[in-house]
Amino acid sequence: MNAPQNPPQKPRGNKPGGRPLDLKNGRVDMSHGAGGRAMAQLIEDLFVGEFNNELLNREHDAAMFRLPPGRVVMSTDSFVISPLFFPGGNIGSLAVHGTVNDISMAGAKPYYLTAGFIIEEGFPLSDLAEIVKSMAEAAKEAGVSIVTGDTKVVERGHGDGIFINTAGVGVARDGIEICGDLAQPGDKILVNGTLGDHGVAVMSKRENLSFTTAIESDSQSLGDLVGAMIDAVPDIHVLRDPTRGGLAATLNEIAHQSGVGIELHESAIPVRPEVKSACELLGLDPLYVANEGKLIAICPAEKADALLAAMQAHPKGKDAAIVGEVLQDARCFVRMKTGLGGTRMVDWLAGEQLPRIC
Amino acid sequence: MKYVEEFRDAELAKGLSAAIKAEAEPERIYKFMEFCGGHTHALARYGVEDLLPNNVKMIHGPGCPVCVLPVGRVDEAVALATQHDVILCTYADLMRVPGTKYESLIKARSKGADVRMVYSTMDALKIAQDNPEREVVFFAIGFETTTPPTAVAIKQAQKLGLKNFSVYCNHVLTPAAMRAILGAHTPEGAPNVVLDGFVGPAHVSAVIGTQPYEEFTTDYKKPVVIAGFEPLDVMQSILQLIRQANDGRADVENEYARAVTPEGNVKAQALVDEVFEVRDEFSWRGLGSVPLSALKIRSEFSEFNAELRFRVEVPSPKENKLCECGPILRGEKNPVDCALFGTSCTPDNPMGACMVSSEGACAAHWTYGRFRTELELEESA
Ligand code: SF4
């Protein structure tokens, strides 16, 4: 479904002018956030140029648009990540994927995004340009438009290079009821692919963690996969992207929201061998490691095979698997049958997952 | 993952589980202590306890260095970081450990202290080289496994002539702690030992060898089987312990021959000897003061000894009276016997040693095994 017609594009005039942006060697300075010529130029030359769509191009502080019928779904997320560039993506593409996915996990189709930048004085314009470019590409791939935004510059030492906030709106068709509190005892739990790729890719680039891996982040937008899944099985109960805290944290959240227990089967959970070895090395558990292009789907048992087939037929779900089921359990425990044949809890994480010394 | 998956094979586990069930005499209860947190972790993470018969009980020992570090030492680390304007470097495990009033290094950092997480002693040395105008302290912690790298760092600092690097030494010794556990007495003075044997620590033994365990088989008549950290290693060692117990034998056996030799890593031992000497006593969280159980930096290397370089005085802390860590670490009680377990004491808010890191007995039971207690309650209802 396409968004309804928006007003025609306005002719552009009275450009801010001045010296062109030095995208190769220039750096962000306080003037780029001061509301004057330099800021207008940054917006015009970089953001508007890359995000290029008729709503943004009107350069109004707010975007005005119509949405197709259905319920409006809205979400926002802020992105702070170190390092800013990692194998398989950067903070920009991540900021688009994150919000697009949050909207998709409500069973909605995402349409429009906003982007807010908080940039530290001295940040290289070339890095900013690369980030903005990959945001534009990610938005295009996800079929969404970045229609309004904001730029602030903070003094050197008051930020970590760049922070990005994105918010988005989408529309859920009537009849689709997908929410974290709808898991039912007996339901099956599916994932769309290998877990832990993003977390390990990012960690491999952290300074002082010297290990090399060919692993790339799985950062990607999941709207099209979700669309295919809903077409095949409209009766999906829960969708969720297991980002920070990984599969374990997300399943604990769902168990609590729905008042159910969960049992996982370790041997069915897809994890790349490289991710397993890296986790082994660092004393981490892949179940707790972050993902950015993965989803968990919970659906009635009798629909699970159809949903699995629909996921596997899509390129973003080719490694999909049924990894567990929902149980009746008022204590909301998440447990796992281990590959060895025992059982254990998969608990919430206490604090951040940190590498162990021995 | 070659060379790893075969130690986690479900079929082999089934076979070992059957052998353990067949050989464990049903009328007797076996209590074995896995000394090392790495084994506790393996048991819990792979659900190994489900594969053991009910009369074979695993007791989680004190072998997690952050768990047994006393509150006072954590307070000292926090004081060093906050009062002396040093760059305090330490391994990640220590960052969240609460001292008095729940003050941890992570909290100190949020209040402005310069605390850095390092992955090796060499990272700390590099930070010292990069920041010549700042004092850099490495908060060293761990059993015999992590001691040689600390010795290397001190020697390296000496060679480089670094004037701004020092080590706050908290290295502790495995055999001394085992001795303290076996030597515990009841208030009436009778020996309190409830253990039938030890699963010996693998990495520690790779450094110290198997010989230091001989005293436990001769003086205390307790079998020791040194085991690797894979779940099948641990199961195999449990089977060997059951066989020894059944035969009335007490020997040191080496299940982990792929890395452990009787004499250990002689070079590493010599290095440690050169840099460190044994302290008269050291306080362990949960076990109290244990004689000859830790190391300090020898006077030849005094200039790198942070304990001499900085005066940190912290009020002597009190551990919670209701905390049952001591009896749990000695194998006399279970985590669920503690009134604080799961109520005031959880991994997010640990009150005692056993809850501090995921390898502590209470934390492992809470994080991986508490459904089991609930199941037992349900079954007995
Ligand atoms: S539950 Fe907490 S207070 Fe009780 S013994 Fe364990 S660590 Fe100590």
Side-chain angles (χ1 to χ4, degrees), chain A residues 109-126:
Chain A
K109 179 172 163 47
Y111 285 99
Y112 298 114
L113 294 187
T114 71
F117 296 85
I118 297 176
I119 311 169
E120 189 179 354
E121 183 185 15
F123 193 70
L125 279 171
S126 57

Side-chain angles (χ1 to χ4, degrees), chain B residues 241-261:
Chain B
L241 284 169
I242 289 173
R243 284 182 184 154
Q244 288 207 43
N246 289 351
D247 299 349
R249 278 187 298 128
D251 296 323
V252 177
E253 289 177 352
N254 184 6
E255 185 278 338
Y256 197 50
R258 57 189 194 274
V260 173
T261 58

